[in-house]
Amino acid sequence: MLGDAISNESESTIMPSNKIPTLLVVVVLSEKQQWFVAGISLVDGAVDCLVRSEPANLDAYVGGDADEQLSFLRHRLSGAMQRGFDRLWGNAAKASRIVLIADQELPDSTPELLPRLAEHLGIWMTRPPIVFFQGKGSERIECFSELQLLAGQLEATEQTYLEKQLPTLQQKLADPTAWEVIAKPRDSS
């Protein structure tokens, strides 16, 4: 009986092998308070622009205490990731790793906010695992060697594809028509 439960649980977590393994890349542009979700194929390196938020999508964290800011960003970015998973699945792909890149520290936050968020997501996002980087300037994500690793790790093949495609991804961030727009949730008052 216990063996059947373990066997059934294992079967339900196995993903179809015909799905293309893909990096799910979430980019946060701090000054714009905006996120973008793209896929980078681990088969051919193709970049697929999936969804983006409107500017000011992340601004509700401003003014909260450290725990409120962390909670808000964790929930908002988890929602962005879920939308990316859904779009990938619909495109016959599956996320093998999440790569989250914040171009710089978020305005009106403590310097510890992004490292705390990275640590939290690194602990709780285990399937697929997450790697979290922070850049060194506004909308500067194109140079892999300038990104600071905050949590997680990449396999060699994943790093190669990410490093090669960051300049392409950087260019696509400037093209608002390349992305499906997700409207900012209304405040529930």
Side-chain angles (χ1 to χ4, degrees):
M1 190 85 166
L2 179 59
D4 291 339
I6 293 170
S7 168
N8 290 338
E9 182 180 337
S10 297
E11 289 174 19
S12 68
T13 60
I14 296 174
M15 290 191 169
S17 61
N18 60 344
K19 298 283 185 181
I20 298 166
T22 303
L23 294 175
L24 182 76
V25 183
V26 179
V27 176
V28 174
L29 299 183
S30 300
E31 287 181 8
K32 292 181 180 179
Q33 296 289 309
Q34 186 175 23
W35 53 260
F36 295 76
V37 181
I40 298 177
S41 168
L42 294 175
V43 173
D44 62 7
V47 176
D48 188 8
C49 299
L50 301 170
V51 295
R52 70 172 174 86
S53 71
E54 296 172 330
N57 184 273
L58 300 175
D59 63 357
Y61 77 86
V62 176
D65 68 29
D67 289 336
E68 290 169 337
Q69 290 182 350
L70 178 65
S71 179
F72 171 79
L73 291 171
R74 180 184 68 228
H75 284 97
R76 184 61 53 93
L77 294 175
S78 292
M81 289 180 238
Q82 186 59 54
R83 290 174 188 271
F85 296 145
D86 294 345
R87 299 316 185 279
L88 284 179
W89 195 260
N91 293 338
K94 66 179 178 183
S96 58
R97 184 167 318 271
I98 301 164
V99 178
L100 204 149
I101 304 170
D103 64 348
Q104 62 185 349
E105 285 185 12
L106 294 168
D108 299 313
S109 70
T110 65
E112 297 81 31
L113 180 59
L114 287 180
R116 282 186 67 211
L117 180 62
E119 178 184 23
H120 178 85
L121 292 174
I123 291 170
W124 294 104
M125 300 291 292
T126 60
R127 270 192 121 176
I130 192 166
V131 62
F132 198 128
F133 294 98
Q134 181 178 333
K136 294 185 177 182
S138 179
E139 299 186 36
R140 288 185 43 214
I141 63 152
E142 71 278 1
C143 184
F144 183 79
S145 64
E146 291 183 6
L147 299 177
Q148 176 188 3
L149 179 65
L150 298 179
Q153 62 185 25
L154 291 170
E155 294 179 3
T157 303
E158 294 168 336
Q159 181 174 328
T160 298
Y161 279 114
L162 180 64
E163 191 168 356
K164 181 178 178 188
Q165 294 303 347
L166 279 176
T168 300
L169 184 57
Q170 173 76 36
Q171 289 174 345
K172 291 186 180 282
L173 294 175
D175 179 4
T177 63
W179 309 82
E180 175 189 347
V181 179
I182 303 301
K184 183 178 178 181
R186 286 189 256 179
D187 292 332
S188 55
S189 302

